[in-house]
Structures are given as C-alpha cells and as structure tokens.
Amino acid sequence: VSDSNRRWLVRRRPEGWPEVDDFELVEAPIEAPGEGQVLLRNLYLSVDPYMRGRLRDRDSYAPPVGIGDVMVGSAVAEVVESRAAGLAAGDVVESPTFGWQEYAAVDAAGLRRVDPELAPVSTALGVLGMPGLTAYFGMLDVCELRPGTTAVVSGAAGAVGSTAGQIARIHGCRAVGVAGSDEKVDWLTGELGFDAAINYKTAGSLTRALAAVCPVGIDAYFDNVGGPITDAAIRLLALRGRVAICGQISIYNATEAQTGPRLLWELVARRARIEGFLIFDYRDRYREGLEKLGGWVRSGELRYRETVVDGIERTPEAFISMMRGGNIGKMLVKVG
Ligand SMILES: NC(=O)c1ccc[n+]([C@@H]2O[C@H](COP(=O)([O-])OP(=O)(O)OC[C@H]3O[C@@H](n4cnc5c(N)ncnc54)[C@H](OP(=O)(O)O)[C@@H]3O)[C@@H](O)[C@H]2O)c1
C-alpha cells in the first residue's frame, strides 16, 4: 500500500470536446474505511461515454460531477482492508462509484464480487459488466430479437456494440455492424462472426452501403451513436422494425442542438418502434444477464477485446481517445 492516493479532479467543464486540462491530478491521503466499509486499491478503471454527460452542468438521469470533485467512474479493485462482513483483504470487487483514483474507502453494500476464475477480472467492467448487460437487455428486451431476422448495431466495435452484435448472432440473427475503421470492420467479420460490417468513414452513402448488406431491410437496430448512421438505418427499417436507443455518442460533444432529416414519418408505413432504455432499470435481472454472458464467454461463443492504457496519470487521455474511436472493444486504464 502506498501512502498517498493520486486522484483526478474536475478542474472545469469542457466546452465541446474534452481536453486533458479539464482535469487535474492531485495527491491526497488514503482514507480509512469506516464501519461497513472496505478500503479498495484500484486495479482497472473504466472510461465510458456517459462520463461526458456527468461533466455537463445539467441533471440528466444522474447529477453532474462538481468542479473540484473526484471524477466519477467504476473500477475493479482489490480489498486492502475490510471493516465489512463477507469481504476480506485480497478479494476482488467491482465498484460503480470508485472514481478516477488509486484508493477509495467505500460502502461494501454497493460492491459486486468478481470471480477471477471465470475470466480476467478486467472483464467485470466490459463484457461481464455494465456494457455487456446493456447489450444483453437492449438486444433481447428492447430489440426483441427473433431468429432469422436482421440486426444492425452502430458503434459495433466498442464495448457495448461488439457484445450486442454477437448476441444477435448467437440468437440466429443476421448481425451487421457499423464502425469507424477497416481494422474494426475486419475484427467484427473475421473474429466475432458478424455477417457484414461497414466502415462508416469510407462507405460513402450509408443508406446504400447498409441496404447492400441488409437486402430485406433491418428488423432490429441497436443504436449507440445517432447521427447520419441512424438516419440511414431508420430509412431501411423492415415492417414492425424495432430501434433501441442505447446512446448517441455522435452528439455528446456538440455545443448546439442538432437538427437533422425529419425521419419519423418513416415509422408510419413500417409500423416501427423506437425506444430508449437505461441499463439501471434492469438491476433486478443483472444476475440473469451475467450468468448468460458468463456462459457464452466460457463456451467461446462470445468474444471480447480490451484496449488498455497503462497508468492512472493517463486516464483523461484514455477517456478522450475512447470518445474519438481509439479503442477496439472496451477501453480501460490499468492502475494497479
Ligand atoms: N443506455 C444505457 O444504459 C447505456 C449503457 C452503456 C453505454 N451506453 C451508450 O452506449 C454507447 C457505447 O458505449 P461504450 O461504452 O460501448 O463505448 P465504446 O463503443 O466502447 O466507445 C465509443 C465508440 O464510439 C464511436 N464513436 C465516437 N464518435 C462517433 C461518431 N460521431 N459516430 C459514430 N461512432 C462514433 C467510436 O468508435 P468508431 O471508431 O466506430 O467511431 C468509439 O470507439 C454510448 O453511446 C454510450 O453512451 C448506454
């Protein structure tokens, strides 16, 4: 155990794209755990798109981070000292409230124990964590996958998208991905078993490119990004098509409200449905989701990749890189 805790504070709210200087690395004393708490040492820190929303001075489904506060984030961490029943030094847990820091004293009640036998512990932040669960419930519950249908996923080479497309494939659907580089597209079709994938940066007309690989239309569209990719997908929806709005990363750094083609009339003749969802609403079913995802990972049906940046001092850089597409699979910071 070190005697000081390096942590990233929010220095100012980003205007548009975040910058490293929006954050400040400071050293603080390591807190002592209170009754019912454990002291945790960070092993892996997650950087996620939702963090951009927390940096805005506006309440959404969660309050913003205060200026001068430790930046929010989940981590996989090791118990250093326990004052809580059921957890002992050496146990590995996932903490959704850890923050961008090396050590934290947290309530044991909010922790999930991670099984190092099942898979590398870092997966508790990706395929076997919140992103994997988002893909699972978004695909099965919101998109209502049916065998033999066509499912399209945007942001397909990211943490959520790469899992979502494979879940479609596992359920007997034609899985089509949209991602931002040839390397990502090759990974999706080569290793993950997507039936087709498109590089949206070089495809030209997205409607034409998607139509070519979805000849009978799109039955389920799992949307991580919004913008022109989503405009194209909506135009190609099949009868009774379903759209799950998981995220809209293409506008997270926008400084002005976006207006685009007004496409809602496309839903009428197709009797299609668009629905937003939040993973937290599925809290009561996390166990079911994790069991399924864990089984598929164990059997090799569900593959994953991680892009790991080394060192807590590089956390803002990792966050910004993820927003710009620098990751394949889940973006993580290795801390311990
Ligand atoms: N609803 C929920 O409960 C929930 C839960 C978790 C995550 N989410 C959402 O799910 C989405 C994916 O999250 P994640 O953690 O899996 O992140 P991720 O996909 O691993 O990383 C973000 C990716 O977004 C892509 N991207 C960035 N700008 C883009 C643009 N303008 N157009 C198209 N793609 C762009 C980049 O890949 P490219 O190289 O392909 O551009 C980048 O790698 C986000 O929108 C997030 O907010 C929602």
Side-chain angles (χ1 to χ4, degrees), residues 107-131:
D107 293 339
L111 300 175
R112 169 168 70 105
R113 195 188 271 275
V114 175
D115 176 8
E117 303 289 313
L118 177 61
V121 295
S122 55
T123 56
L125 297 170
V127 66
L128 299 181
M130 186 274 280

Side-chain angles (χ1 to χ4, degrees), residues 17 46-51 61 125 130-135 154-162 178-181 184 198-201 222-229 245-253 276-282 321-331:
W17 280 87
S46 181
V47 286
D48 294 80
Y50 75 79
M51 292 169 176
Y61 58 90
L125 297 170
M130 186 274 280
L133 288 167
T134 302
S154 60
V160 174
S162 60
V178 183
S181 75
K184 292 182 180 189
I198 289 167
N199 177 351
Y200 70 88
K201 292 184 179 161
F222 188 108
D223 186 21
N224 286 310
V225 308
I229 298 169
I245 304 293
C246 175
Q248 298 280 285
I249 197 169
S250 73
I251 60 168
Y252 290 175
N253 296 304
F277 75 100
L278 263 185
I279 186 56
F280 312 114
D281 294 337
Y282 290 93
S321 169
M322 178 277 301
M323 296 292 296
R324 291 194 182 279
N327 56 311
I328 296 189
K330 175 66 192 149
M331 183 66 114

